[in-house]
Amino acid sequence: MPAVWHDLSADAQDLAILAALLSPLLLLGWGICRGYALMPLLRSLFLRHLWTNLAFIALVAISVGLGVGLIAQERGLRTATARVAEKFDLVIAAPGDEIGMLMATVFLQPSDAPLLDGQMWQRVAEAAKGSARIAPLAYGDSWQGHTLIGSTAEFVTHLSGDLAEGTAFTAPSQAVVGAGVPLRVGQGFAPAHGSSPAAEADAHDDMTVRVVGRMRATGSPWDSAIILPVEGVWLAHGLGNGHADAEDPQVGPPFAPQYFPGTPAILVTTRDLPTAYALQSRFDGDDSMAFFPGAVLSRLHGLMGNLREIMSVMSVVTQVIVLAAVTTGLIVLSRLFSRRLALLQALGAPARMIFALIWSYAALLLGIGAVLGLAVAFGAVHLLSAMLSARTGLLIAADLGWAELHLVAACLALGLLVALIPALVALRRDVTEALRR
């Protein structure tokens, strides 16, 4: 076995084996067509009922394309969500629903969550000192549908790296916006309570936040977020600034536990896995919940994996039904030119030539449909990716892979086998009766 064979993935090896099995059948069909000079006859049959043939091809192409496109889209969505969760090592929140907190903290979905108090913040800060970095994530306000998150300048650097423009915030009334927020550096705005459209009528008119920087694109919902010092969120609600001195202009930790207003979640970023697991074990108890967003997302992906299997089965079943419908249509269509076939037999054409002609005709339609299905799948994947990216804020870049090519090849193989049915049916017709029509 050549060494390059072992370098191929399992799907690529399966595809190569399938191609090796199909090649003799395709070459045999090509040889028969060449030997009996069937090309002019095939061209005549195709052009004689052009629109009907094109309808059959379109039906197969749409069936294959949509089935393959949906499976590829699921893989692209899974990859995009996993990429977003990479920035969130460990999240500590009040006891409750891990999935709900995952959606709220990582994907910025609106959620009402209990707050962690100053004592819990102090405990986490002391446990993480020297081995991890922590940042509060306070949410609940918005501006024109863009979520406002109260955190620290260090969190902004962790999320985006160097800013695309401007500087980090240094005061409670300053903010850094995501790449997709329509606010310019230097522009001011008034945040509003909540995240619904009605929230705009309940704005913090006594507070103006000025944009001082813009993050680089992250390909996540955070591109539509506005991040400001957590002190700004607290002050907007009349809760103080989290420091012992209420007039202290400092932003960021350390916070005074007795003056800490609370935060829905604390993000912990660690340098190694042992530290992360130690902190998770320590703070996952009765008074707090600590979870790895990646682990929770893996469970969701496991569910999506089951859905992928179901979608694959449904796609295959749909394609089998379409192939059966097309085969039935080809059998009916072949009756329209049964008199021509009977005339060929009367002139001395052997039965195997008639068989090869009908099989080649049916295989041509099914084969073209399966191949064009790749083009339909390519277009469907990019259209669905654009729509989902716009709705979720995720950068979804789905594309066709070996698994999808494998599915199309399997559909083509099934089509070549199904093409035998109209050919066998044509041989069973009585020549004399066909000539009398």
PDB file of all heavy atoms in Angstrom, residues 190-213:
ATOM      1  N   ALA A 190     -26.346  57.535  24.687  1.00  0.00           N
ATOM      2  CA  ALA A 190     -26.961  57.297  25.989  1.00  0.00           C
ATOM      3  C   ALA A 190     -27.444  55.854  26.033  1.00  0.00           C
ATOM      4  O   ALA A 190     -28.299  55.456  25.231  1.00  0.00           O
ATOM      5  CB  ALA A 190     -28.133  58.248  26.213  1.00  0.00           C
ATOM      6  N   PRO A 191     -26.906  55.024  26.918  1.00  0.00           N
ATOM      7  CA  PRO A 191     -27.365  53.634  27.020  1.00  0.00           C
ATOM      8  C   PRO A 191     -28.795  53.568  27.529  1.00  0.00           C
ATOM      9  O   PRO A 191     -29.296  54.499  28.167  1.00  0.00           O
ATOM     10  CB  PRO A 191     -26.377  53.008  28.008  1.00  0.00           C
ATOM     11  CG  PRO A 191     -25.846  54.153  28.807  1.00  0.00           C
ATOM     12  CD  PRO A 191     -25.844  55.335  27.889  1.00  0.00           C
ATOM     13  N   ALA A 192     -29.462  52.430  27.248  1.00  0.00           N
ATOM     14  CA  ALA A 192     -30.857  52.248  27.643  1.00  0.00           C
ATOM     15  C   ALA A 192     -31.001  50.985  28.470  1.00  0.00           C
ATOM     16  O   ALA A 192     -30.203  50.042  28.346  1.00  0.00           O
ATOM     17  CB  ALA A 192     -31.750  52.170  26.402  1.00  0.00           C
ATOM     18  N   HIS A 193     -32.055  50.949  29.315  1.00  0.00           N
ATOM     19  CA  HIS A 193     -32.335  49.761  30.105  1.00  0.00           C
ATOM     20  C   HIS A 193     -32.812  48.628  29.197  1.00  0.00           C
ATOM     21  O   HIS A 193     -33.597  48.847  28.274  1.00  0.00           O
ATOM     22  CB  HIS A 193     -33.435  50.052  31.131  1.00  0.00           C
ATOM     23  CG  HIS A 193     -32.994  50.951  32.227  1.00  0.00           C
ATOM     24  ND1 HIS A 193     -32.129  50.553  33.226  1.00  0.00           N
ATOM     25  CD2 HIS A 193     -33.303  52.247  32.497  1.00  0.00           C
ATOM     26  CE1 HIS A 193     -31.925  51.551  34.059  1.00  0.00           C
ATOM     27  NE2 HIS A 193     -32.616  52.594  33.644  1.00  0.00           N
ATOM     28  N   GLY A 194     -32.351  47.417  29.473  1.00  0.00           N
ATOM     29  CA  GLY A 194     -32.855  46.253  28.747  1.00  0.00           C
ATOM     30  C   GLY A 194     -32.329  46.174  27.335  1.00  0.00           C
ATOM     31  O   GLY A 194     -31.516  46.982  26.881  1.00  0.00           O
ATOM     32  N   SER A 195     -32.827  45.150  26.594  1.00  0.00           N
ATOM     33  CA  SER A 195     -32.358  44.918  25.229  1.00  0.00           C
ATOM     34  C   SER A 195     -33.486  44.892  24.211  1.00  0.00           C
ATOM     35  O   SER A 195     -33.245  44.653  23.034  1.00  0.00           O
ATOM     36  CB  SER A 195     -31.609  43.569  25.159  1.00  0.00           C
ATOM     37  OG  SER A 195     -32.451  42.518  25.612  1.00  0.00           O
ATOM     38  N   SER A 196     -34.722  45.135  24.628  1.00  0.00           N
ATOM     39  CA  SER A 196     -35.851  45.120  23.693  1.00  0.00           C
ATOM     40  C   SER A 196     -35.960  46.470  22.997  1.00  0.00           C
ATOM     41  O   SER A 196     -35.402  47.476  23.451  1.00  0.00           O
ATOM     42  CB  SER A 196     -37.150  44.810  24.442  1.00  0.00           C
ATOM     43  OG  SER A 196     -37.439  45.850  25.359  1.00  0.00           O
ATOM     44  N   PRO A 197     -36.703  46.541  21.856  1.00  0.00           N
ATOM     45  CA  PRO A 197     -36.877  47.822  21.173  1.00  0.00           C
ATOM     46  C   PRO A 197     -37.508  48.890  22.068  1.00  0.00           C
ATOM     47  O   PRO A 197     -37.212  50.072  21.937  1.00  0.00           O
ATOM     48  CB  PRO A 197     -37.801  47.457  20.000  1.00  0.00           C
ATOM     49  CG  PRO A 197     -37.525  46.011  19.750  1.00  0.00           C
ATOM     50  CD  PRO A 197     -37.271  45.422  21.098  1.00  0.00           C
ATOM     51  N   ALA A 198     -38.366  48.463  23.016  1.00  0.00           N
ATOM     52  CA  ALA A 198     -39.000  49.431  23.911  1.00  0.00           C
ATOM     53  C   ALA A 198     -38.001  50.051  24.881  1.00  0.00           C
ATOM     54  O   ALA A 198     -38.272  51.078  25.503  1.00  0.00           O
ATOM     55  CB  ALA A 198     -40.126  48.758  24.688  1.00  0.00           C
ATOM     56  N   ALA A 199     -36.818  49.418  24.995  1.00  0.00           N
ATOM     57  CA  ALA A 199     -35.822  49.923  25.941  1.00  0.00           C
ATOM     58  C   ALA A 199     -35.295  51.293  25.548  1.00  0.00           C
ATOM     59  O   ALA A 199     -34.834  52.057  26.398  1.00  0.00           O
ATOM     60  CB  ALA A 199     -34.667  48.926  26.056  1.00  0.00           C
ATOM     61  N   GLU A 200     -35.370  51.629  24.267  1.00  0.00           N
ATOM     62  CA  GLU A 200     -34.831  52.913  23.819  1.00  0.00           C
ATOM     63  C   GLU A 200     -35.583  54.070  24.465  1.00  0.00           C
ATOM     64  O   GLU A 200     -35.052  55.174  24.597  1.00  0.00           O
ATOM     65  CB  GLU A 200     -34.908  53.005  22.288  1.00  0.00           C
ATOM     66  CG  GLU A 200     -34.045  51.975  21.577  1.00  0.00           C
ATOM     67  CD  GLU A 200     -32.588  52.060  21.965  1.00  0.00           C
ATOM     68  OE1 GLU A 200     -32.077  53.184  22.099  1.00  0.00           O
ATOM     69  OE2 GLU A 200     -31.952  51.002  22.139  1.00  0.00           O
ATOM     70  N   ALA A 201     -36.842  53.822  24.835  1.00  0.00           N
ATOM     71  CA  ALA A 201     -37.622  54.881  25.471  1.00  0.00           C
ATOM     72  C   ALA A 201     -37.252  55.059  26.941  1.00  0.00           C
ATOM     73  O   ALA A 201     -37.675  56.012  27.583  1.00  0.00           O
ATOM     74  CB  ALA A 201     -39.116  54.571  25.344  1.00  0.00           C
ATOM     75  N   ASP A 202     -36.452  54.128  27.465  1.00  0.00           N
ATOM     76  CA  ASP A 202     -36.056  54.169  28.879  1.00  0.00           C
ATOM     77  C   ASP A 202     -34.543  54.326  28.971  1.00  0.00           C
ATOM     78  O   ASP A 202     -33.850  53.534  29.595  1.00  0.00           O
ATOM     79  CB  ASP A 202     -36.522  52.886  29.573  1.00  0.00           C
ATOM     80  CG  ASP A 202     -36.360  52.973  31.087  1.00  0.00           C
ATOM     81  OD1 ASP A 202     -36.234  54.102  31.602  1.00  0.00           O
ATOM     82  OD2 ASP A 202     -36.345  51.917  31.744  1.00  0.00           O
ATOM     83  N   ALA A 203     -34.027  55.335  28.324  1.00  0.00           N
ATOM     84  CA  ALA A 203     -32.585  55.546  28.259  1.00  0.00           C
ATOM     85  C   ALA A 203     -32.077  56.234  29.516  1.00  0.00           C
ATOM     86  O   ALA A 203     -32.818  56.911  30.232  1.00  0.00           O
ATOM     87  CB  ALA A 203     -32.228  56.375  27.032  1.00  0.00           C
ATOM     88  N   HIS A 204     -30.783  56.030  29.786  1.00  0.00           N
ATOM     89  CA  HIS A 204     -30.119  56.734  30.888  1.00  0.00           C
ATOM     90  C   HIS A 204     -29.762  58.138  30.391  1.00  0.00           C
ATOM     91  O   HIS A 204     -28.626  58.408  29.985  1.00  0.00           O
ATOM     92  CB  HIS A 204     -28.848  55.983  31.303  1.00  0.00           C
ATOM     93  CG  HIS A 204     -29.109  54.603  31.831  1.00  0.00           C
ATOM     94  ND1 HIS A 204     -29.630  54.366  33.080  1.00  0.00           N
ATOM     95  CD2 HIS A 204     -28.917  53.387  31.264  1.00  0.00           C
ATOM     96  CE1 HIS A 204     -29.738  53.065  33.279  1.00  0.00           C
ATOM     97  NE2 HIS A 204     -29.308  52.443  32.190  1.00  0.00           N
ATOM     98  N   ASP A 205     -30.746  59.024  30.402  1.00  0.00           N
ATOM     99  CA  ASP A 205     -30.525  60.353  29.825  1.00  0.00           C
ATOM    100  C   ASP A 205     -29.486  61.159  30.591  1.00  0.00           C
ATOM    101  O   ASP A 205     -28.913  62.114  30.058  1.00  0.00           O
ATOM    102  CB  ASP A 205     -31.853  61.125  29.793  1.00  0.00           C
ATOM    103  CG  ASP A 205     -32.858  60.475  28.853  1.00  0.00           C
ATOM    104  OD1 ASP A 205     -32.403  59.918  27.836  1.00  0.00           O
ATOM    105  OD2 ASP A 205     -34.072  60.520  29.140  1.00  0.00           O
ATOM    106  N   ASP A 206     -29.264  60.781  31.865  1.00  0.00           N
ATOM    107  CA  ASP A 206     -28.304  61.530  32.669  1.00  0.00           C
ATOM    108  C   ASP A 206     -26.877  61.043  32.472  1.00  0.00           C
ATOM    109  O   ASP A 206     -25.956  61.515  33.141  1.00  0.00           O
ATOM    110  CB  ASP A 206     -28.682  61.442  34.149  1.00  0.00           C
ATOM    111  CG  ASP A 206     -28.758  59.992  34.619  1.00  0.00           C
ATOM    112  OD1 ASP A 206     -28.920  59.105  33.744  1.00  0.00           O
ATOM    113  OD2 ASP A 206     -28.668  59.764  35.838  1.00  0.00           O
ATOM    114  N   MET A 207     -26.685  60.077  31.558  1.00  0.00           N
ATOM    115  CA  MET A 207     -25.347  59.527  31.351  1.00  0.00           C
ATOM    116  C   MET A 207     -25.038  59.476  29.854  1.00  0.00           C
ATOM    117  O   MET A 207     -25.828  58.958  29.060  1.00  0.00           O
ATOM    118  CB  MET A 207     -25.251  58.113  31.938  1.00  0.00           C
ATOM    119  CG  MET A 207     -23.904  57.459  31.723  1.00  0.00           C
ATOM    120  SD  MET A 207     -23.861  55.781  32.391  1.00  0.00           S
ATOM    121  CE  MET A 207     -22.153  55.334  32.042  1.00  0.00           C
ATOM    122  N   THR A 208     -23.919  60.025  29.479  1.00  0.00           N
ATOM    123  CA  THR A 208     -23.463  59.965  28.090  1.00  0.00           C
ATOM    124  C   THR A 208     -22.140  59.215  28.046  1.00  0.00           C
ATOM    125  O   THR A 208     -21.194  59.571  28.755  1.00  0.00           O
ATOM    126  CB  THR A 208     -23.281  61.370  27.497  1.00  0.00           C
ATOM    127  OG1 THR A 208     -24.531  62.055  27.513  1.00  0.00           O
ATOM    128  CG2 THR A 208     -22.772  61.285  26.069  1.00  0.00           C
ATOM    129  N   VAL A 209     -22.102  58.190  27.238  1.00  0.00           N
ATOM    130  CA  VAL A 209     -20.889  57.380  27.085  1.00  0.00           C
ATOM    131  C   VAL A 209     -20.223  57.767  25.773  1.00  0.00           C
ATOM    132  O   VAL A 209     -20.894  57.882  24.739  1.00  0.00           O
ATOM    133  CB  VAL A 209     -21.232  55.870  27.093  1.00  0.00           C
ATOM    134  CG1 VAL A 209     -19.972  55.044  26.887  1.00  0.00           C
ATOM    135  CG2 VAL A 209     -21.922  55.480  28.396  1.00  0.00           C
ATOM    136  N   ARG A 210     -18.926  57.952  25.816  1.00  0.00           N
ATOM    137  CA  ARG A 210     -18.198  58.350  24.618  1.00  0.00           C
ATOM    138  C   ARG A 210     -17.303  57.196  24.146  1.00  0.00           C
ATOM    139  O   ARG A 210     -16.614  56.557  24.945  1.00  0.00           O
ATOM    140  CB  ARG A 210     -17.344  59.592  24.891  1.00  0.00           C
ATOM    141  CG  ARG A 210     -16.732  60.208  23.630  1.00  0.00           C
ATOM    142  CD  ARG A 210     -16.269  61.613  23.910  1.00  0.00           C
ATOM    143  NE  ARG A 210     -17.341  62.454  24.419  1.00  0.00           N
ATOM    144  CZ  ARG A 210     -18.282  63.022  23.648  1.00  0.00           C
ATOM    145  NH1 ARG A 210     -18.271  62.824  22.336  1.00  0.00           N
ATOM    146  NH2 ARG A 210     -19.220  63.775  24.194  1.00  0.00           N
ATOM    147  N   VAL A 211     -17.353  56.952  22.841  1.00  0.00           N
ATOM    148  CA  VAL A 211     -16.562  55.873  22.246  1.00  0.00           C
ATOM    149  C   VAL A 211     -15.118  56.320  22.107  1.00  0.00           C
ATOM    150  O   VAL A 211     -14.833  57.382  21.529  1.00  0.00           O
ATOM    151  CB  VAL A 211     -17.126  55.480  20.864  1.00  0.00           C
ATOM    152  CG1 VAL A 211     -16.266  54.391  20.216  1.00  0.00           C
ATOM    153  CG2 VAL A 211     -18.563  55.003  20.992  1.00  0.00           C
ATOM    154  N   VAL A 212     -14.195  55.516  22.654  1.00  0.00           N
ATOM    155  CA  VAL A 212     -12.771  55.870  22.573  1.00  0.00           C
ATOM    156  C   VAL A 212     -11.967  54.845  21.772  1.00  0.00           C
ATOM    157  O   VAL A 212     -10.786  55.079  21.482  1.00  0.00           O
ATOM    158  CB  VAL A 212     -12.154  56.009  23.980  1.00  0.00           C
ATOM    159  CG1 VAL A 212     -12.801  57.163  24.738  1.00  0.00           C
ATOM    160  CG2 VAL A 212     -12.286  54.707  24.765  1.00  0.00           C
ATOM    161  N   GLY A 213     -12.576  53.721  21.403  1.00  0.00           N
ATOM    162  CA  GLY A 213     -11.832  52.712  20.658  1.00  0.00           C
ATOM    163  C   GLY A 213     -12.755  51.724  19.969  1.00  0.00           C
ATOM    164  O   GLY A 213     -13.954  51.636  20.275  1.00  0.00           O
TER     165      GLY A 213
END
